[in-house]
Amino acid sequence: MNTKYYFKGLSIAAIALFFSCSSDDKSTTNEEGFRIIPADEIIQKIQPTGFYIANEDWFGTDNGSVNFINANYSPSYRIYREANPGQKLGVTTQYATTYGEYYYIVSKMDKSLVVTDKDFKEVKSLTDINGDGRAFVGATPDKGYISTSNGITIFDIKNLTTTGVIPNITTQTGNMAVANGLLFAISSDGKLHIIDITTDQVIHSLEDSYAQLTLDHTGILWVGNGNKLSKIDTKTIDKADLTTFTPKNYDLVDTSIVGQWGAWNAGSMTASNDGKYIYWNANGGAWSGGNTIAQFDTETGSVNPKFYDLGNDDLGNKLSFYGAGLRVDPHTDNLVLTIKRDGYGSNASYNWTRIISPQGTTVQNIFLRGGTADSSTLNADGGYFWFPAMPFFQDNNVPQIFTNQIILKSAKEFAIPMDKFFIDQDSPFALINKSVTNLADDFGTITLDKRTFSDNGKEVIKDCFVFTTNEKTGKSNFTLTIESNGFKAEKNIEVWVR
């Protein structure tokens, strides 16, 4: 990697941005029509107001539900029903996520997919998704995928309808992730399918004991594979030649990662926001349960099979996970745990949401009430049979391109970090898709690459736009397009070569 051009490009870009922020004076226009165009002010971040828990709810008595826990750790119950009087979710709600303008809530039966706005007002519901519902993942602002008991269904986000299925996958499919134009999906036969999101065709399927997956914020896909943890760098994978591709495997000591196919749930694998740690339910079985969190250090490759133990409640009753069991909060890096009193019968009406720090200390322990007339005969403390499926989180900010102009010298190469051009304040920067077009050939070229530079004695690698200018001087422009978690931004940026 070349550091020389990085510093040249950064210094010129910084000068341009400095003047553009300090002067909007039209008197700076010269005989060529050049003047500094200010960078846009970065829009103030909208902070999260809390997070949500999707619940299976009390099968045979009621349909799925969603609870909300605000920033002060105060719970509100059945918020979907509050927003939609007389309406209910499907039976055994199992998955929920935000993508673009909507929340997507997946249940196993009945209303298998419910799409709501950010206030949980229902926008669309589907009962036929080619099987029982499992999970949802967004791929582009126009397309998503629903995993089902029969494979993967393609979803048209613009028209809120299904458009077909992924061919050649007909077995139960669970966890999915999208990165670098590829859909990664795990099926109950232990396969990890890699699918081109442009053609919706399976490019390659890896066969092993693949069970769960999580995509960290740096673009690394981690796949639970029985007594192994597999690592796939989605940023460097070559989809044109996957036949010889093999993930890097780490042996797991005194723990394993299994699929919860017996009564499918979203699985416990989750990554810290910096990608340093992977967590999972260390001793859960095919039907959930378990009470211990394992932690994998991605830098050292070491495993702590007993990072955290749920322990007992105040009355000495053993606690266990239910549903997915845990997720890392993308806004705080804390772990959000869904816990119940171990065992059956009335024990299932004693539920807690526990928040722990990355160091494993308790931040908050929230007892969930919301009891009904039916549950009160089994729980005198106001608890309810929530059977929590998984936590999910808000995405309140859209990506913003704030740079309007760059100034370059002729016949040189300049590498400018992408974070000098755009931002998404609550989505991982490395997972933002970006493309550039329209720079006139006679002015030069733009490519996307990485550069290494020194920051306080430490080498740091950054994604950059690399500009290679020709001898020609004057004004041109290029179009920058970015996509982040279902939102799209596009801008024409002025380029002066001088």
Side-chain angles (χ1 to χ4, degrees):
M1 291 186 177
N2 191 329
T3 60
K4 176 175 63 175
Y5 295 126
Y6 170 86
F7 284 111
K8 288 183 179 180
L10 178 58
S11 62
I12 290 177
I15 291 171
L17 290 172
F18 171 80
F19 281 107
S20 66
C21 290
S22 63
S23 174
D24 186 23
D25 187 358
K26 293 183 179 180
S27 64
T28 59
T29 302
N30 66 11
E31 66 277 3
E32 297 176 306
F34 169 78
R35 72 179 182 91
I36 296 292
I37 302 176
D40 298 333
E41 292 288 336
I42 295 177
I43 299 170
Q44 185 174 358
K45 180 180 179 180
I46 302 172
Q47 298 291 343
T49 58
F51 63 88
Y52 308 98
I53 306 288
N55 305 298
E56 294 180 5
D57 215 290
W58 194 357
F59 180 76
T61 300
D62 213 339
N63 288 18
S65 58
V66 176
N67 294 337
F68 173 63
I69 296 176
N70 70 19
N72 296 317
Y73 308 116
S74 176
S76 300
Y77 305 107
R78 304 177 181 91
I79 63 169
Y80 166 83
R81 298 183 195 181
E82 183 178 347
N84 302 274
Q87 296 293 317
K88 291 185 178 183
L89 296 171
V91 176
T92 315
T93 297
Q94 206 58 255
Y95 195 91
T97 189
T98 179
Y99 189 74
E101 299 286 351
Y102 302 126
Y103 288 114
Y104 295 85
I105 306 170
V106 184
S107 301
K108 288 186 175 177
M109 294 175 286
D110 192 22
K111 292 167 73 172
S112 299
L113 177 68
V114 172
V115 184
T116 78
D117 65 15
K118 291 301 179 71
D119 295 319
F120 284 92
K121 284 280 190 183
E122 183 176 310
V123 177
K124 183 81 171 185
S125 65
L126 300 178
T127 57
D128 183 5
I129 58 170
N130 191 48
D132 295 346
R134 295 296 182 263
F136 176 90
V137 67
T140 73
D142 300 324
K143 182 194 289 187
Y145 298 96
I146 312 161
S147 59
T148 75
S149 56
N150 296 321
I152 302 173
T153 298
I154 306 163
F155 186 74
D156 180 339
I157 291 176
K158 293 299 183 185
N159 297 301
L160 299 177
T161 186
T162 60
T163 59
V165 298
I166 300 295
N168 302 317
I169 302 177
T170 57
T171 54
Q172 179 181 193
T173 305
N175 292 149
M176 301 181 292
V178 171
N180 192 24
L182 298 171
L183 169 67
F184 300 85
I186 290 177
S187 54
S188 58
D189 53 5
K191 294 179 181 179
L192 175 64
H193 302 287
I194 305 175
I195 299 148
D196 189 319
I197 67 170
T198 302
T199 64
D200 295 323
Q201 298 295 311
V202 177
I203 303 173
H204 190 55
S205 295
L206 298 171
E207 299 186 24
D208 207 323
S209 299
Y210 297 109
Q212 300 182 38
L213 60 76
T214 187
L215 181 67
D216 75 21
H217 286 192
T218 69
I220 302 295
L221 186 76
W222 297 93
V223 189
N225 185 7
N227 60 0
K228 301 188 293 291
L229 183 62
S230 300
K231 175 184 178 181
I232 298 172
D233 188 343
T234 66
K235 302 183 300 300
T236 59
I237 192 170
D238 182 6
K239 65 182 181 182
D241 183 21
L242 290 175
T243 56
T244 59
F245 164 74
T246 55
K248 181 177 181 179
N249 292 321
Y250 298 86
D251 292 330
L252 299 179
V253 180
D254 298 325
T255 183
S256 61
I257 304 174
V258 299
Q260 260 109 42
W261 302 106
W264 188 85
N265 66 54
S268 59
M269 282 188 67
T270 186
S272 64
N273 292 335
D274 60 4
K276 182 175 169 68
Y277 297 109
I278 308 299
Y279 307 93
W280 66 90
N281 179 350
N283 57 347
W287 299 80
S288 191
N291 60 2
T292 305
I293 298 174
Q295 180 196 66
F296 175 80
D297 188 320
T298 64
E299 295 180 353
T300 65
S302 61
V303 182
N304 180 355
K306 297 181 179 180
F307 166 73
Y308 185 82
D309 187 275
L310 294 181
N312 301 328
D313 67 15
D314 292 341
L315 298 178
N317 298 291
K318 184 180 178 181
L319 298 173
S320 65
F321 291 113
Y322 192 84
L326 59 146
R327 284 294 184 271
V328 169
D329 185 330
H331 306 290
T332 67
D333 211 31
N334 291 329
L335 283 87
V336 178
L337 317 181
T338 56
I339 302 169
K340 63 179 282 292
R341 188 176 284 178
D342 193 38
Y344 301 96
S346 63
N347 282 9
S349 66
Y350 288 85
N351 293 272
W352 292 262
T353 298
R354 183 178 298 175
I355 301 167
I356 65 173
S357 72
Q359 292 73 41
T361 59
T362 299
V363 175
Q364 196 74 23
N365 203 42
I366 306 156
F367 178 66
L368 299 174
R369 290 183 166 81
T372 64
D374 288 334
S375 65
S376 63
T377 60
L378 297 167
N379 188 313
D381 298 314
Y384 180 71
F385 296 84
W386 290 113
F387 296 102
M390 65 176 292
F392 63 109
F393 304 92
Q394 297 177 357
D395 179 8
N396 298 328
N397 299 275
V398 299
Q400 179 190 3
I401 302 171
F402 51 83
T403 293
N404 293 306
Q405 179 190 63
I406 60 170
I407 308 163
L408 307 171
K409 287 186 176 181
S410 61
K412 291 187 179 297
E413 181 181 282
F414 306 91
I416 307 177
M418 293 182 187
D419 58 14
K420 302 296 180 184
F421 290 82
F422 58 84
I423 189 173
D424 187 333
Q425 299 191 73
D426 56 7
S427 292
F429 191 85
L431 300 184
I432 297 175
N433 295 320
K434 46 268 179 186
S435 61
V436 290
T437 57
N438 297 341
L439 182 68
D441 290 342
D442 51 352
F443 279 95
T445 60
I446 310 174
T447 57
L448 282 59
D449 204 350
K450 296 180 182 296
R451 290 292 188 269
T452 304
F453 66 99
S454 179
D455 182 8
N456 294 323
K458 181 180 179 181
E459 284 196 344
V460 179
I461 300 173
K462 284 196 172 188
D463 292 323
C464 295
F465 293 119
V466 180
F467 298 83
T468 304
T469 58
N470 298 330
E471 294 288 348
K472 182 175 180 178
T473 60
K475 185 176 83 168
S476 185
N477 63 73
F478 70 94
T479 302
L480 171 60
T481 304
I482 59 175
E483 294 179 3
S484 178
N485 200 36
F487 292 106
K488 180 178 179 179
E490 190 170 84
K491 179 185 278 190
N492 287 322
I493 297 176
E494 186 175 284
V495 179
W496 278 92
V497 180
R498 300 174 68 79

